[in-house]
Amino acid sequence: MSRTLTKLNDLDVNVIILGPSPGAGFDVPRALALADLNGIDRPAAVATSSVREVQMQVDVLISSVTNDLENVSYVPVWDIFCPLESCALTIGNTSLYSDGGHLSGLGATEFLGPALIQRVNAALDLLK
């Protein structure tokens, strides 16, 4: 990654790297369906403490590669899902995930999309 970004930077190519969304640690749609089937409470969130350390390590690792490159910007996104003490898994009754770690269409467009547009625009402004 470092060599690729350095080469792109040398070629004056602007690059924005998006950080990962936090994984739920389990298949969210399946857990929601099983909860409905068994008449129990649906999981709506996971504790931020369960994902914060890993996500912050990813942020530090990627930032260490991108910080010294003029044309490269890193945009973390995990904190969009985990603003306080819990990380969102659903919007209303619909899963943000298509499994345990990949966003569903709704998760990408309705939940992450609006915040991501703002962050990417800010990163583009910095690259100008």
Side-chain angles (χ1 to χ4, degrees):
M1 184 167 140
S2 181
R3 286 184 288 163
T4 300
L5 291 175
T6 299
K7 182 67 174 174
L8 290 169
N9 191 70
D10 292 346
L11 294 171
D12 206 29
V13 174
N14 289 334
V15 176
I16 297 176
I17 298 173
L18 301 178
S21 59
F26 57 91
D27 188 323
V28 178
R30 184 168 195 257
L32 295 174
L34 287 172
D36 288 347
L37 183 66
N38 292 298
I40 60 175
D41 289 338
R42 303 170 100 224
V46 294
T48 299
S49 59
S50 67
V51 300
R52 179 182 290 125
E53 184 177 333
V54 170
Q55 295 296 324
M56 291 180 76
Q57 288 175 3
V58 170
D59 289 351
V60 168
L61 179 64
I62 295 175
S63 293
S64 72
V65 174
T66 62
N67 278 345
D68 295 333
L69 301 172
E70 284 180 31
N71 298 333
V72 180
S73 184
Y74 173 58
V75 177
V77 301
W78 73 271
D79 59 315
I80 295 168
F81 292 83
C82 310
L84 299 171
E85 298 301 316
S86 63
C87 302
L89 297 175
T90 61
I91 294 178
N93 289 329
T94 306
S95 176
L96 295 176
Y97 292 86
S98 61
D99 56 21
H102 298 94
L103 295 179
S104 65
L106 179 88
T109 59
E110 300 296 320
F111 186 79
L112 182 59
L116 192 56
I117 289 169
Q118 292 176 348
R119 290 186 182 194
V120 168
N121 284 335
L124 287 171
D125 288 343
L126 292 173
L127 293 174
K128 291 180 182 177

